[in-house]
Amino acid sequence: MTRRPPAWIDPLLTRLGTARAEDFTRLTTPTEGGRESAVLVLLGEQPGAGPDVLVLQRAATLRNHAGQPAFPGGAADPEDADVRATALREANEEVGLDPASVTVLAELPKLWIPVSDFVVTPVLAWWHDPHPVHPREPAEVAHVARLPVSELVDPANRLRVRHPSGWIGPAFSARGMLVWGFTAGVLATLLEMGGWARPWSHDRVVELPSTRATPAPSAGTDEADESALR
């Protein structure tokens, strides 16, 4: 079992050493207040598919963020030792991720989501011992997927979406998911920082479709308000 991340992650880790919140968002994170939370940006690798990132899709019946793809994560509990513990606990509760299978690499800058007043710390990690994952609570999570980086950076899968509020931001179309908002903003920045991004047409803008989420197979080892960011 190799815990050291592969060399392809090194350029990203080097760049994150000087990363600021301004690299990810136009909003200034407040120094006080806001509900502490964390998400897990879990990078892995599969034979024949290359590097990937774990993403879940919220259930269509939820009151907030229904049907929206997202990183595993949520609000901090008083028992959590730190944001890393929050991210790993939430990933375990949502998709059954074994915390022992993960090596945490870095904490990204805290990012503020004003509509919910969440202050979110994305926690970057390497999945050194991947295993099958699946929605543990179908009423909350409809689908779990490992999205290959090669598909995310494919110009054919990149676009921008226009929110009903008029906001326009980056998005990705991959594995039947439209990834947008907070998650797409963080992904877009990390792909640039890691040197993986490819040129794509920013002229492709679509209206944000009605939200829906349908159950799908779990992401095993053999399977191929956030709008303020970016």
Side-chain angles (χ1 to χ4, degrees):
M1 181 175 60
T2 302
R3 291 181 179 273
R4 188 192 185 285
W8 55 261
I9 297 181
D10 290 345
L12 175 59
L13 293 178
T14 299
R15 177 61 182 85
L16 285 175
T18 59
R20 304 172 303 162
E22 291 81 359
D23 295 321
F24 294 86
T25 179
R26 300 184 301 271
L27 299 173
T28 300
T29 303
T31 56
E32 296 181 359
R35 190 174 183 187
E36 192 79 23
S37 62
V39 296
L40 186 68
V41 183
L42 184 59
L43 298 177
E45 189 170 15
Q46 297 189 79
D52 58 35
V53 61
L54 186 70
V55 174
L56 59 81
Q57 189 169 25
R58 303 292 181 193
T61 53
L62 291 179
R63 174 181 296 181
N64 297 316
H65 314 305
Q68 188 170 350
F71 299 119
D77 280 353
E79 296 79 13
D80 294 338
D82 49 30
V83 293
R84 298 184 179 204
T86 297
L88 292 173
R89 175 185 54 75
E90 285 284 339
N92 174 264
E93 293 176 357
E94 291 180 326
V95 304
L97 180 74
D98 179 4
S101 71
V102 171
T103 300
V104 173
L105 302 175
E107 295 176 17
L108 279 61
K110 294 180 182 293
L111 307 173
W112 182 44
I113 302 177
V115 67
S116 58
D117 198 29
F118 274 80
V119 176
V120 184
T121 301
V123 176
L124 183 72
W126 163 241
W127 204 359
H128 65 258
D129 190 18
H131 59 85
V133 290
H134 58 87
R136 293 190 68 178
E137 294 291 343
E140 297 182 3
V141 178
H143 177 32
V144 187
R146 296 179 67 172
L147 303 183
V149 170
S150 61
E151 294 185 19
L152 293 173
V153 300
D154 186 339
N157 295 332
R158 299 208 61 175
L159 66 157
R160 296 195 297 161
V161 295
R162 180 183 291 109
H163 190 270
S165 66
W167 166 88
I168 298 177
F172 301 84
S173 178
R175 302 293 168 104
M177 289 185 177
L178 178 65
V179 184
W180 63 282
F182 177 93
T183 305
V186 171
L187 274 176
T189 300
L190 292 179
L191 292 174
E192 291 285 348
M193 288 182 169
W196 308 319
R198 297 166 55 189
W200 57 284
S201 175
H202 289 61
D203 295 333
R204 182 186 176 196
V205 180
V206 302
E207 301 298 324
L208 186 65
S210 299
T211 299
R212 65 182 186 278
T214 54
S218 61
T221 57
D222 57 346
E223 289 185 42
D225 14 315
E226 299 115 332
S227 57
L229 274 84
R230 297 286 290 176

